[in-house]
Amino acid sequence: MVSAAAEEGLIATGVELNYGLVLYSRLDSLRKGFWKRTNFIRRDLFKTNLSNYDVIVLFGVPSMMDLVKQKLLVEMRPDAMFVACRFPLPNVKPSAQLGSGIDTVWVYSRSDIQKSLSKA
């Protein structure tokens, strides 16, 4: 996703805990010529401040999605978007849903996430 964003001319940052994947991503970005528009950092997502990002994309697992939802409520800017790949945020109606099966992505605004609180 970071490389795809860079290919479109955007500046993108990838946060990954697995150092091997960080190195692979850095080398791949260099090989593709996107290294000036990409940044890959080894860090725990839950220790990373998300408030500086316009779009946040996550390849997560179901067990972390409730925690991610809480983090987004605290750190996500009002004008930012969140894209969940493969697994949606629980009990939140997305602004959009694209694809199908394992290629499904859900797009959320901050207000989508906040609305889920009033239903709880």
Side-chain angles (χ1 to χ4, degrees), residues 56 65 82-89 92-99 101-108:
I56 303 158
M65 298 312 276
F82 174 69
V83 180
C85 303
R86 299 228 172 138
F87 301 103
L89 291 174
V92 181
K93 184 178 182 200
S95 296
Q97 181 176 332
L98 309 165
I102 63 170
D103 294 325
T104 303
V105 297
W106 295 264
V107 180
Y108 302 94

Side-chain angles (χ1 to χ4, degrees), residues 12-62:
T13 300
V15 176
E16 172 61 53
L17 196 55
N18 181 316
Y19 189 64
L21 291 176
V22 171
L23 286 177
Y24 173 81
S25 298
R26 287 175 180 168
L27 290 172
D28 187 56
S29 180
L30 181 64
R31 183 181 62 81
K32 291 178 179 176
F34 302 141
W35 62 275
K36 288 184 179 180
R37 294 190 305 268
T38 60
N39 183 29
F40 297 93
I41 53 177
R42 181 176 183 258
R43 189 174 301 148
D44 183 331
L45 173 69
F46 294 102
K47 295 178 181 174
T48 302
N49 185 332
L50 302 176
S51 65
N52 292 323
Y53 298 102
D54 298 319
V55 179
I56 303 158
V57 179
L58 176 71
F59 285 87
V61 295

Side-chain angles (χ1 to χ4, degrees), residues 58-118:
L58 176 71
F59 285 87
V61 295
S63 62
M64 70 188 297
M65 298 312 276
D66 263 326
L67 293 171
V68 168
K69 181 169 74 170
Q70 296 307 312
K71 182 172 180 61
L72 291 169
L73 282 168
V74 173
E75 296 178 13
M76 188 174 167
R77 291 193 338 238
D79 60 336
M81 298 299 295
F82 174 69
V83 180
C85 303
R86 299 228 172 138
F87 301 103
L89 291 174
N91 305 313
V92 181
K93 184 178 182 200
S95 296
Q97 181 176 332
L98 309 165
S100 62
I102 63 170
D103 294 325
T104 303
V105 297
W106 295 264
V107 180
Y108 302 94
S109 67
R110 182 178 170 86
S111 65
D112 294 333
I113 300 167
Q114 287 172 320
K115 287 176 193 172
S116 73
L117 291 180
S118 62

